[in-house]
Amino acid sequence: MSLTTIDDAGRLETVRLGMWAFLASELMFFGPLLLGWAYGRISMPDGFAWASRQTDLWLGTLNTAILLSSSAAMALAVQLSALQLKRQVGRCLLACAALGVVFLLIKFYEWHREWAEHLFPGPDFAGPAHTGAPYFFVVYFSATFLHAIHLTIGIGVTLTMWRRVHKSLGPLPQPALHAAGLYWHFVDVVWVALFPMLYLVERTP
Amino acid sequence: MSSYLTEGPTLRQWLTTTDHKKVAILYAIAITLFFFIGGAAAVIIRLELATPQGDLVPAQTYNELFTAHGVIMVWFFLIPSIPSVLGNFLIPLMIGARDLAFPRLNLASWYIYLIGGVGTLWGMLLGGVDTGWTFYTPFSTMFSNSHVIIVVLSVFFTGFSSILTGLNFIVTIHRLRAPGLTWFKLPLFVWAHYATSIILVLATPVLAMTMVLIVIERLFQVGIFDPALGGDPLLFQHLFWFYSHPAVYIMVLPAMGVVSEIIPTFARRKIFGYRFMAYAIMGIALLGFLVWGHHMFTSGMSMYAGMTFSLLSFFVAVPSAIKVFNWTATLYKGSITFDAPMLYALGFIGLFTIGGLTGLFLAALALDVHLTHTYFVVAHFHYIMVGGAVAAYLGGIHFWWPKVTGRMYPEMWARVAAAMLFFGFNLTFFPQYLLGYEGMPRRYHSYAPEYQLLNVLSSAGASILAIGYLLPLCYLAWSLFYGRHAPSNPWEGRGLEWKTLSPPPVENFSNPVVVHSHVHEVAGEGAA
Amino acid sequence: MTERSAVGIVRNVAKVWLALLGLLALTVGTALLPLGLWNTVLNTVIALIKVVLIGLCFMELLRHDSLPRLMAVVALFFLLIQLGQTISEHLTRGISTTPWTPPAQRAPLQHGGVDAATPSRRAYPAPGH
Ligand SMILES: [Cu+2]
C-alpha cells in the first residue's frame, strides 16, 4: 500500500478517462462549425443547397467508406491487442494509417478541383455571391481542413503506435493503443457528421 | 527527507520538472510577470482618465492599452491564477496523491501557456490590438488595422494549456484520491477545482474555434460573422460569450474554493452546510453555461432569448447566495482571528457580494439597456474578478505560503497590504459604478468634464491598489530568505496538506495516506 | 475483459463495419430522393446511429468503467445547449422588437443586404501601422 499512484491495472482506465476528457473538449471544439452550418442551413437554405450540390458526391462517399473501414481496422487492432497478437495488431495499425493516407489524397484532389472551379469564397467565386453559397464554402473548407489536420495527427500517432508494437518485446502497450484508437475513432465520428452536412444538404432540387 | 525545493535545484532541472509542486511555482512566476505587465497598462489608463481631455495618449494607443490590459489579465493571469498555481500545488496534497495523473502533460501546459503569452506580448510590441479583449466582429476581422491575428492565435494556443490543466485535474480527482477519501469528504477547494476543470475542458475549445474563425474571416476576407458577406455578427457573440461567461466561473469558483478553506480555519469551525456548498459549486458551473446571452441584450438579439437569458442569469444568484450565507454562518460563534489570509477572505465575501448583486442589475433586461457599455459594467466585473478572484488568490498565496515555501511571511505587513488592497480597490471601482450609472461610456480616452471628480477618486484609489499589490511582492520575496521557518501546520488547518512537512517532500507524504473520517477532522494515518 | 477469441473479435468488428457501410449507402441513397427538409432529418438520424455504433462498438463505451460514458454524455449535453440556445435565438429574432432594437434590425435582416462597401473597410493585406 503506497501513495495513490497509478498502477498498471488502473493505468488503462486512467488513460481512457483522460482521453475521453480530451475528446469531450474536441467535440466542443467542432461545435462552432456545427453551429455555423446550422445557421446557414436555416437562414440561407437555397444557397446552401446549391453549394452542397457542387461537392463531389462520389468522392465524398468513397472517402466516408474509406474512413469507416480505417476505423474498423483500428478497432481490430485495439481489441486484438488484448490477446497479444503482435503481428496482427501491427498489420491492422498499418492498414488503418494507409487508409487514412488514401483519404487525405482524395481530399487533396477534391480541394484542388474545387479551387480550380472557383468555389473558394472570394472575389472570383463562381456561384451566386449573396445567397449563402460562399458561406457554405467557408464552412466546407474550414471544417474539412481542420478535420484533415486531425487526421494527419491521427496518422502520425497510429504510425508511432505501429512502430512501438513492431519493436516491443514484452506485452503490448495497451493504454497507449486504446488512447490512439479513441482518437482515431473520434476523427472518424467527426467525418460521419461532416459528410451529410457538407455533401448531402439537398442533392436533388 | 529532502524537500521538493532542495531536490534538483538547477535551472535546467526546474525547466524539465514534472513535479506538480514545481510546475505550480513555474506558473506562479509566469503569471506574476503577466500580472504586472497587465497592471502597467492599467496604470497608464488610470493616468489618462485623471483628466477629461485625451491628453496623455492618443485614442488609438488608449484602445491598444485597454485591449492589452484585458487580454493579459484575463487569459494570462486570472484564468490560470488559482487553478494552475494553487490548484496544481494543492490538489494532489489534499487528496493524498503523489502527483497529478499526467505529470508531463502538466509541464507541457506551462510551456503552451508561456508560448501563448510570448506571442501575445510580441503582438503588443509590434503595435498592439485595438479591438478590446472581446475581439468583436466584424471590427476585428474587416476593419481593425492592428495585429489581430497574432494575438488571436496566441489566445487560441493558450487555450490548450487550460484544457490540459482541466483534463489533468478531472482525471486526478477521479482516480487518485487516497483510500477512504470519498467525494463528500473532499475539501471544497477540490470540489471547486473539479467544477472549474469541467468548464475549462468544455468551454475553452469553443473559444479556440472562435479564434480560428476570426483568423479565417480576417485572412481570407470571407463572410462568417460579417453581415455584408452573409455572416452573422451575433453568431460571434454567442460563441465568444459561450466561453467568456463560464470563464468568469473559471476565475471565481477556485476563488470560492480558497475562501472555503480559509474561513473555517480562522473561525475554528467546520464549514457550515458542507454538502450544500458542494452542490452550489456544481450548480454554479452548470448554470454558468446557460446564461451567456446576458452580454448581448442590446445587440439586437431575439427578445425572447433575452428574456430566457435574463431569467437564467437570475438563477445563478441562488447558489451564489447559498455560498455567501454559508460562509457567514461558518463565522457565527467562531473564535475568529484576523490573520492576513482571513482579511483577504472576508474582503472577498464583501466584494463578491457587491459584484454579484450589481450583476443582477445588468441581468435585468430593461436596466441593462441603460447600464450596458458604461462604467457600471467595468465596475461590476472588476468587483468579481479583482475584488473576488484576485483577493482570493492573494489570500490563498498567504494561507499556503508556509506550506509552499517553508517560511512564514511577515504578518503585520501582510495585514497592511490586505487593508490597502481592500480600501484601494473600493476607492478605485466604487466611483465607477456611479460614473456608469450617470452614463459615462467605457472604452473612451476622454470624457465630459462633469465626470472628472469621480475619475480622479478612481485614479487615486488605483495608486493605493498598486501599492497593495507591490507590497506583497516585496515582503514575500523577503520572507523567502529571512522569514521564520514554518511549522508543518501553522494555522491548525485540518486538510491533508497540513499533515505533511513544510515544504513538502518530493513524494508529498512520507507514509501512505488513509482517510477515516471527514477530511476536515482527518485522522490521516502516519502522515509525516 | 472477458476472454474472447481472435475469430470472435474479427467477426464482431466485421458486423459493425458492414452495418456502417450499409448506413452510408442508405444515407446517400435517400439523399438522392427529393425530400426537401426530410433529407436533412434523415441524414441527421442516420449519422447519429453511425456515431452511436462507433461509440459503443469501437470506442468501447459499454466497458465497465462508466466515467467515459459520463464524459461523452456531458459533452453532448453542452453541445446541444450551445446549439439549441443559439439557434432558438436566431429563429425568434425579429418576431417582435423592443424600443432598444437597433433600427437596422427592425426589419428582418436581409442577408447580404448591407452594403459591402461600408466606409473604412480594411484594405487587405493589412498595412502595419
Ligand atoms: Cu456573463
Side-chain angles (χ1 to χ4, degrees), chain B residues 46-386:
Chain B
R46 278 323 315 170
L47 280 175
E48 166 64 71
L49 292 177
T51 56
Q53 308 81 25
D55 38 19
L56 183 64
V57 290
Q60 175 68 19
T61 311
Y62 184 80
N63 293 350
E64 287 158 6
L65 280 169
F66 71 67
T67 307
H69 173 68
V71 168
I72 290 174
M73 286 304 202
V74 169
W75 284 300
F76 299 99
F77 175 71
L78 283 164
I79 296 277
S81 62
I82 300 180
S84 296
V85 177
L86 296 174
N88 219 337
F89 195 97
L90 292 165
I91 288 174
L93 288 171
M94 286 180 167
I95 64 173
R98 164 73 182 78
D99 206 315
L100 292 174
F102 306 111
R104 273 184 300 174
L105 222 50
N106 194 22
L107 181 66
S109 92
W110 183 71
Y111 278 103
I112 293 173
Y113 162 83
L114 210 60
I115 293 169
V118 169
T120 302
L121 289 183
W122 185 35
M124 305 284 172
L125 286 178
L126 285 177
V129 180
D130 58 358
T131 60
W133 78 283
T134 47
F135 302 118
Y136 265 25
T137 56
F139 179 72
S140 62
T141 55
M142 298 295 182
F143 295 90
S144 169
N145 275 317
S146 57
H147 297 272
V148 175
I149 288 186
I150 172 163
V151 171
V152 156
L153 279 181
S154 302
V155 170
F156 163 83
F157 204 68
T158 307
F160 289 96
S161 85
S162 292
I163 293 171
L164 294 183
T165 301
L167 181 159
N168 222 336
F169 286 176
I170 290 177
V171 178
T172 304
I173 296 170
H174 269 293
R175 303 281 302 158
L176 297 185
R177 281 171 286 125
L181 188 54
T182 52
W183 280 89
F184 283 105
K185 288 178 186 168
L186 284 175
L188 289 171
F189 182 90
V190 177
W191 270 104
H193 277 80
Y194 184 74
T196 306
S197 303
I198 292 175
I199 303 175
L200 283 171
V201 165
L202 294 178
T204 315
V206 175
L207 175 79
M209 180 58 94
T210 312
M211 298 291 114
V212 171
L213 293 178
I214 287 187
V215 171
I216 291 173
E217 184 167 280
R218 189 174 166 90
L219 266 184
F220 300 105
Q221 298 285 291
V222 292
I224 304 170
F225 305 126
D226 182 5
L229 296 174
D232 181 3
L234 288 201
L235 195 60
F236 173 82
Q237 297 187 21
H238 278 299
L239 294 173
F240 182 81
W241 292 113
F242 181 86
Y243 165 80
S244 293
H245 183 80
V248 176
Y249 299 109
I250 298 176
M251 306 165 194
V252 164
L253 282 174
M256 291 172 161
V258 169
V259 170
S260 301
E261 298 304 314
I262 294 177
I263 299 261
T265 306
F266 291 98
R268 286 165 188 80
R269 291 203 54 201
K270 259 172 69 175
I271 190 94
F272 182 85
Y274 168 85
R275 269 183 189 250
F276 271 95
M277 292 297 256
Y279 293 140
I281 287 170
M282 297 309 281
I284 291 173
L286 172 69
L287 284 170
F289 271 105
L290 312 179
V291 300
W292 74 83
H294 61 218
H295 296 267
M296 302 163 59
F297 287 156
T298 59
S299 65
M301 85 189 301
S302 150
M303 212 178 91
Y304 304 101
M307 294 190 307
T308 318
F309 280 124
S310 174
L311 184 70
L312 288 168
S313 302
F314 272 81
F315 286 161
V316 182
V318 177
S320 307
I322 289 179
K323 299 201 74 73
V324 171
F325 291 142
N326 283 4
W327 288 319
T328 317
T330 307
L331 296 172
Y332 180 66
K333 284 192 174 168
S335 48
I336 301 169
T337 46
F338 295 96
D339 298 86
M342 188 62 161
L343 294 182
Y344 282 110
L346 294 173
F348 170 94
I349 297 179
L351 300 178
F352 172 76
T353 306
I354 296 176
L357 289 175
T358 50
L360 291 181
F361 291 33
L362 292 166
L365 267 173
L367 203 47
D368 184 64
V369 177
H370 173 60
L371 295 175
T372 194
H373 303 311
T374 71
Y375 263 86
F376 195 90
V377 177
V378 177
H380 157 68
F381 69 71
H382 280 89
Y383 264 75
I384 296 288
M385 293 178 183
V386 183

Side-chain angles (χ1 to χ4, degrees), chain C residues 14-87:
Chain C
K15 271 187 212 156
V16 179
W17 177 58
L18 286 176
L20 286 170
L21 290 184
L23 285 167
L24 171 63
L26 187 65
T27 193
V28 174
T30 55
L32 293 174
L33 305 171
L35 304 175
L37 190 61
W38 286 103
N39 278 130
T40 300
V41 175
L42 268 175
N43 287 336
T44 311
V45 171
I46 294 173
L48 277 177
I49 298 174
K50 283 203 265 182
V51 168
V52 169
L53 262 181
I54 295 173
L56 296 185
C57 302
F58 288 174
M59 301 171 96
E60 306 189 305
L61 270 179
L62 290 177
R63 277 171 65 106
H64 58 91
D65 46 347
S66 56
L67 287 170
R69 273 199 294 280
L70 187 69
M71 287 283 164
V73 170
V74 166
L76 270 177
F77 172 76
F78 283 109
L79 191 69
L80 285 181
I81 291 282
Q82 184 195 39
L83 213 65
Q85 270 186 310
T86 307
I87 292 298

Side-chain angles (χ1 to χ4, degrees), chain C residues 77-129:
Chain C
F77 172 76
F78 283 109
L79 191 69
L80 285 181
I81 291 282
Q82 184 195 39
L83 213 65
Q85 270 186 310
T86 307
I87 292 298
S88 58
E89 185 275 315
H90 181 73
L91 289 175
T92 53
R93 205 185 294 171
I95 291 180
S96 35
T97 55
T98 51
W100 59 83
T101 306
Q105 258 137 43
R106 299 217 157 211
L109 186 65
Q110 275 294 306
H111 292 288
V114 182
D115 183 8
T118 328
S120 79
R121 194 155 268 270
R122 194 163 62 98
Y124 206 79
H129 92 121

Side-chain angles (χ1 to χ4, degrees), chain B residues 481-494:
Chain B
F481 303 100
Y482 306 108
R484 194 157 54 76
H485 281 276
S488 53
N489 189 0
W491 317 120
E492 294 162 38
R494 289 165 171 179

